[in-house]
Amino acid sequence: MADANPPVAQPKTKGLFIKTYGCQMNVYDSERMRDVLKPLGYEPVDAPEQADLVVLNTCHIREKATEKMFSELGRLRDLKRQTGGEMRIAVAGCVAQAEGEEIMRRQPAVDMVVGPQAYHRLPEMIAKLARKTGDVLETDFAADEKFDALPKTREVDGPSAFLSVQEGCDKFCSFCVVPYTRGAEYSRGVDAIVAEARELARKGVSEIVLLGQNVNAWHGAAPAHDSRGGEWGLGDLIRHVAKIGGVERIRYTTSHPGDMMDDLIDAHGDVEQLAPFLHLPVQAGSDRILKAMNRKHTAEDYLRVIERVRTVRPDIAVASDFIVGFPGETDKDFEDTLALVKAVGFSQAYSFKYSARPGTPAAGMQLQVEEAVKDERLGRLQRLLNDQAQAFNDAMIGRRVKVLFSRPSRRQGQALGYSPYMQSVHVDDAARVSNSMAEVEILGATMSSLKGRLVEAEVHA
Ligand code: 5AD
Ligand code: SF4
């Protein structure tokens, strides 16, 4: 009689190296690619030299990021030659989506190209590659199909985890490639999100970061247990996730000022687990430039949103993104950006020189700003933002805050964690706090991090 449970053949272990560029959505996607490839026997390795498959998960947002990818591909081609051509190279992410054909043409060592909505098809693509048949370029836009097809289990790595709830963007800011690379706005359903959050919490995750290109545009049909029915917004979702046992801290990123709905703002006042941190990109402080950017808000609208959030959560840390040297930006426009920065007082910020992206409306605009002018403006803006970050961090000295320690610091013997305000915090005594939330007294501050002393460490099992 045949054995009712024949031994299942375990796939041979193969090395997988994924290099991630760009935003947190890509970090999430890289983690999920690992989950997708695990059943095929792929296990993460520390360096491309040990890998059978190398995936570059790419970013297309600025020109520099794309150039970096092509130079990395050159290095991988040499490595592939050294392995006798056995190593497989895949390009994933937003450059794959936007320039898939071009990548295949420019770098023949690339075996597969897979866009951000298609990486659940990697196993099929690898099989096709082995059979030497069929298409190895997948750049379809079907976010719903992707999320449905992803494995329901997730590997977790530490006490903090990203959870994608929304993808794509319908805002079409005139400088931005995202609506073209990530496609139209798509919100995952409440049940799928909550199931994933529960799975994370069950595996020991205490901080959940809800992700989306426009995460505060997230909306979904209310689940059956909500007798009010109708539609949920991000505020409702946050309140629901906060009820999952073990979830001690919730963050969301990144947002558009036009989608800061009343209920989401209120959640900052009444959901204890929601971190007092808001990343709300403004890009510029001149109404003329904001209009040319197609941001659909004014500087005053932005200031009003910040004021409303500060009314319910006075200590909130506000972070932002800025672009200097957008086409047509005059000295006066730039001064308006500096004035907005002074009016808000940011805890941290990312600032960039405008980079013309092919296919976006701004790339064809008149009056492109000279590089030297962009450099000078970026320097002035960054000096102001750095001063604000230093002041924000200095104000923490002497305070006690709960810090979530997720990984060892690069500094010997120290642990690195994050305060509720998203500041990096270093403490000595790394072994005691690894993967736990602990109370820390802040002793010192630079503009980019805090130094503290452990008050108590409640190490989670
Ligand atoms: N040039 C410079 N910066 C850009 N960003 C997006 N597109 C461009 C561009 N073409 C910046 C914006 C955005 C952040 C993710 O990247 O500030 O918020
Ligand atoms: Fe790009 Fe604007 Fe959409 Fe943000 S809101 S992803 S900047 S188009």
Side-chain angles (χ1 to χ4, degrees), residues 399-444:
R399 282 185 57 186
R400 288 180 173 195
V401 284
K402 288 231 161 168
V403 176
L404 184 64
F405 289 95
S406 35
R407 54 196 162 106
S409 162
R410 283 199 202 113
R411 300 183 199 163
Q412 191 69 30
Q414 291 195 348
L416 170 67
Y418 287 91
S419 77
Y421 307 98
M422 264 309 275
Q423 297 146 300
S424 317
V425 183
H426 296 270
V427 297
D428 296 328
D429 213 356
R432 272 180 65 202
V433 290
S434 149
N435 284 350
S436 68
M437 184 86 88
E439 183 139 338
V440 172
E441 181 184 335
I442 304 301
L443 303 174

Side-chain angles (χ1 to χ4, degrees), residues 14 55 284 299 317 436:
K14 289 168 271 202
V55 182
S436 68

Side-chain angles (χ1 to χ4, degrees), residues 333-348:
D333 293 319
F334 177 64
E335 293 299 330
D336 289 347
T337 297
L338 296 179
L340 178 135
V341 171
K342 286 177 190 151
V344 174
F346 292 98
S347 65
Q348 47 181 280

